[in-house]
Amino acid sequence: MLDAARLRADFPLLRQREHGHPLVYLDNAATTQKPEAVLTAIADYYRTTNANVHRGAYGLAIRATEAYEAARAKLAGFVNAWATEGVVFTRGTTEAINLVAGAYGRAHVRAGDTVVVTAMDHHSNLVPWQILCQEKGATLRMVEISEDGRVDLSDYGRALERRPKIVAFPYVSNALGTVNPAAQLARLAHAVGAVVVVDGAQSTPHLRVDVQALDCDFYALSGHKMLGPMGSGALVAKPELLDAMPPYHGGGEMISRVWDDHSTYNKIPHKFEAGTPNVEGAVGLAAAVAYLEGVGPERIAEHEQALAAAAIDRLTQIEGVTVYGPRDHRAGVVSFTYGDIHPHDIATILDQDGICIRAGHHCAQPLMRRLNVPATARASFYLYNGLDEVDALAGALVKAGALFGYVPA
Ligand code: 7TS
């Protein structure tokens, strides 16, 4: 396992105390904390380099542009993008998926076509496809999940018989922690001629991701879930698909020539980056990538899996606790319920001990309906969490249970 205590020292916020207790931050699937290296990179950018990018004729603006484009190259290398110009900076996964639905989807999906999603998709990999299908008169086909929270491969096969235009799925589920066999799902979808969209919000921070090995077509990620700034993220795509796509947003920066009644467009990726971009976000995200590379994605995955296994082991020993999702091929997300205690009550009680967990539907309402629960409590781990924090979680849960008359096993 990683030396979590040593890594934690790199994160100023984690030194805080909450209600008199050391802060135990277990809501990393929602967003992660930021290391000093990222905070410094952002501050340094503003102290030394800030100017608007791609349009300056002076040295400062050229250096700002170089910093922004170097960040793109850094991120491209991290996920083994097809090409640096195949990385479009966005506000995060949500905007990246809306870009694909709004530009590629609107150009290619017609009445009677099918788009496939899964029952474990986050709303941001579902609602954009609902909007597209409603607009086009296309069918949205949702693939069911198995009892233990995996994509049901036989239902996936049945969905592919419809020869969908687009197949979208999460690499890692934010609500169950399931790691989907993304390369296999992509291969099967390609075999019927579909374009594959992978929601990488929960995989990029936690696994070694190689989009070319996955062989998807579009891959969406969020910077703030991988130690980077809020409002940073990207769409990583095959350049030839981006080249052939109509623009998404219109405005400055994305054009080549503008006449009174029409325009020609800039080359990729700029065609999809209308307006002044979030340069601070890109620079901070590049610093986050450098930090993650320093630790090593494989070691991060291993560490989180060990924490999740320990948490599942501890939690399932508490009478009345149900843990959802698979027991193997999973990431560091542990969703659970405790008897009839409302998950929001669990989160509120744990907060008194300085423990931050999430409670709710996790933006996955179709999944919650299939689990037959309105909500779950969710602990999600990252590289700075340790086994001491799993102990704190289990201990606080037992205390919470006692308040509701549950006797610990
Ligand atoms: N896809 C998945 C699988 C996610 O977990 C999230 C955010 C998103 C997409 C959207 O990412 P955004 O950065 O564009 O907002 N998930 C969560 C969560 O689990 N709790 O809060 C946000």
Side-chain angles (χ1 to χ4, degrees), residues 209-242:
V209 171
D210 179 332
V211 293
Q212 295 191 57
L214 277 182
D215 193 27
C216 55
D217 297 292
F218 296 100
Y219 184 93
L221 64 90
S222 293
H224 71 96
K225 292 185 197 287
M226 48 191 284
L227 310 180
M230 290 294 193
S232 68
L235 173 68
V236 183
K238 287 185 174 159
E240 62 273 20
L241 287 173
L242 285 180

Side-chain angles (χ1 to χ4, degrees), residues 89-91 95-96 98-99 102-103 106 246-255 265 270-275:
F89 281 122
T90 64
R91 282 192 291 125
E95 190 182 31
N98 275 279
L99 195 169
R106 280 177 115 181
Y248 175 51
H249 289 155
E253 195 64 27
M254 52 77 72
I255 47 81
Y265 304 123
H270 312 296
K271 184 167 83 174
F272 296 103
E273 292 183 359

